[in-house]
Amino acid sequence: MNKNGSNVDQPGADEEDIVNPWEVSTHSAKGVDYDKLITRFGSTKIDDVLIQRIEKATGKPVHHLLRRGIFFSQRDMEMILDVYEKKQPFYLYTGRGPSSEAMHMGHLIPFIFTKWLQDTFDVPLVIQLTDDEKFLWKDLTLDETNHLAFENAKDIIACGFDVEKTFIFSDLDFLTNSPAFYRTICRIQKLVTYNQVKGIFGFSDSDSIGKISFPAIQAAPSFSCMFPEIFSGRTDIPCLIPCAIDQDPYFRMTRDVAPRMGCLKPALLHSTFFPALQGAQTKMSASDPNSSIFVTDTDKQIKEKINKYAFSGGGATVEEHKAKGGNCEIDVSYQYLTFFMEDDKRLEEIRKTYASGELMTGSLKMELIEILQKLVGEHRERRAEVTDDMVRQFMKPRKLKYDYPPAESKK
Ligand code: TRP
């Protein structure tokens, strides 16, 4: 049951883990049971066969976030690979809810991975900034969320996206000048009943009608008909959505309505959550500065936060640690290394020596601190170079570098 008093995942599910767009929590120190989630959500585990197929199709090793099971679940990824292998087009769609100026490392994970997908598959990318959603859910004004969308776009751009391949839009801005956006929303809204969104999202009778109708707005960019500027009116370009698993309810709804709209179901790649410093029971929160490493943190803050707050799976004393070893499964610093350390060999060495008690928590943390200081430092530099003008370029509705000849059926 969630705070609203309803179980939004699936009625009748008796699991303790809560995973929905508004809340993620579990009682287990190891974090959410992702295998159970796959069963509950009805998605498919990303297995070695799929990973090998991606490597074969792209001719390069997959990103470590995929290799290490951080992107762990998928829907219809085989369809995307079929399309790619036939040299037919597809596009990427992801997004962010701009609820705070401070973005933390967890927020960057989907964008770091999406950037890799864009580089690897060489496809267009659309990024939705749901300033309307955050207005509806949070105690913020429209001007505030719209401003946050603009500021967050800078951090997203700093991840290295190519302006010729990427369209970033704020819902509040784009909806006022895109008939295709609103038309797509209306077509979705007509096909989803109140009863269905109640079942999927746990809305109650006292939720505003803004909230109840919002899922159609997050669903719309899954369909290429929403972007005539980019796809020259083609309605048959498949979409791949990389996102954290908590966003899946939106896309279960989207995939349900797609065939009835005569549209393709979007494919998905789901990630696990980036744990809070205090432990994997919950994801990081932008409102608690000590639960996260922010992209604006100084080297000193990073060092202090990791040393002071990162939950340790090590022994309580040096003697105990040496005798029993550390527990990587619950050690937040080790978990962070799996997200950010690129070197597979070194990571495995750390895992082994930490588990055996040879490597002490302090040394493990030191290695993480260095990696984070470098990553955040580089991000800070790139972010400082992103001007308002650059953001406006990314946000301008326009054709991207790809051409879309009319669909064969229309010839
Ligand atoms: N609702 C998401 C959030 O609050 C933002 C979002 C919109 C999104 N569209 C998306 C996330 C598509 C992933 C994929 O963060």
Side-chain angles (χ1 to χ4, degrees), residues 60-349:
K60 72 187 224 192
V62 296
H63 194 278
H64 66 263
L65 289 170
L66 199 49
R67 203 162 60 226
R68 295 184 191 151
I70 290 163
F71 276 82
F72 73 106
S73 153
Q74 55 107 354
R75 294 181 190 274
D76 271 347
M77 188 58 198
E78 289 87 0
M79 177 271 285
I80 294 293
L81 290 171
D82 287 345
V83 162
Y84 181 71
E85 284 165 358
K86 283 189 234 153
K87 305 206 176 344
Q88 289 169 356
F90 74 94
Y91 72 102
L92 296 165
Y93 159 40
T94 191
R96 148 137 187 103
S99 55
S100 74
E101 185 137 2
M103 280 179 74
H104 56 58
M105 292 309 288
H107 292 137
L108 289 193
I109 299 295
F111 293 105
I112 292 171
F113 184 64
T114 303
K115 153 90 173 123
W116 178 82
L117 288 171
Q118 179 177 64
D119 289 347
T120 303
F121 290 98
D122 190 17
V123 286
L125 161 67
V126 297
I127 301 176
Q128 177 178 50
L129 302 173
T130 52
D131 39 11
D132 52 349
E133 174 191 18
K134 294 303 157 182
F135 166 72
L136 291 165
W137 262 271
K138 306 267 168 175
D139 187 19
L140 293 165
T141 66
L142 285 167
D143 283 342
E144 281 164 348
T145 59
N146 190 235
H147 171 74
L148 289 172
F150 197 84
E151 288 306 309
N152 287 178
K154 292 181 182 169
D155 281 299
I156 294 169
I157 293 167
C159 292
F161 293 108
D162 183 341
V163 70
E164 294 191 356
K165 302 178 182 179
T166 310
F167 173 48
I168 304 179
F169 60 98
S170 116
D171 284 343
L172 292 175
D173 295 335
F174 192 42
L175 250 169
T176 50
N177 58 21
S178 169
F181 193 0
Y182 192 50
R183 281 167 178 251
T184 310
I185 291 168
C186 285
R187 287 169 65 202
I188 299 164
Q189 285 176 338
K190 191 167 181 171
L191 298 175
V192 185
T193 66
Y194 177 45
N195 214 27
Q196 283 167 327
V197 287
K198 261 204 300 199
I200 301 171
F201 298 98
F203 293 137
S204 73
D205 287 359
S206 51
D207 276 312
S208 74
I209 60 171
K211 287 187 184 179
I212 290 153
S213 59
F214 173 75
I217 301 176
Q218 181 154 333
S222 315
F223 303 125
S224 65
C225 58
M226 184 181 133
F227 304 101
E229 307 86 351
I230 300 175
F231 302 110
S232 14
R234 287 270 298 264
T235 59
D236 60 342
I237 314 284
C239 173
L240 172 62
I241 307 171
C243 63
I245 187 89
D246 61 337
Q247 298 298 306
D248 189 63
Y250 287 112
F251 303 116
R252 286 205 292 273
M253 185 196 90
T254 310
R255 287 168 56 85
D256 180 61
V257 298
R260 286 181 284 148
M261 293 168 66
C263 293
L264 294 165
K265 291 182 180 186
L268 288 132
L269 289 173
H270 299 119
S271 75
T272 62
F273 305 111
F274 192 62
L277 282 170
Q278 285 74 9
Q281 278 93 340
T282 178
K283 61 176 182 173
M284 298 210 299
S285 153
S287 50
D288 176 2
N290 291 330
S291 78
S292 327
I293 301 294
F294 289 91
V295 297
T296 46
D297 282 350
T298 61
D299 284 358
K300 190 161 166 264
Q301 283 172 316
I302 293 172
K303 187 173 171 191
E304 279 172 6
K305 280 192 197 176
I306 298 292
N307 280 333
K308 195 164 170 195
Y309 299 109
F311 183 79
S312 167
T317 61
V318 175
E319 292 71 38
E320 193 193 308
H321 186 77
K322 285 195 169 148
K324 290 193 192 152
N327 183 351
C328 288
E329 277 192 82
I330 59 166
D331 193 282
V332 169
S333 302
Y334 176 78
Q335 295 301 324
Y336 280 21
L337 283 175
T338 65
F339 280 82
F340 298 118
M341 179 177 258
E342 284 177 25
D343 186 342
D344 285 339
K345 261 207 208 130
R346 178 66 197 136
L347 185 67
E348 179 54 16
E349 224 168 65

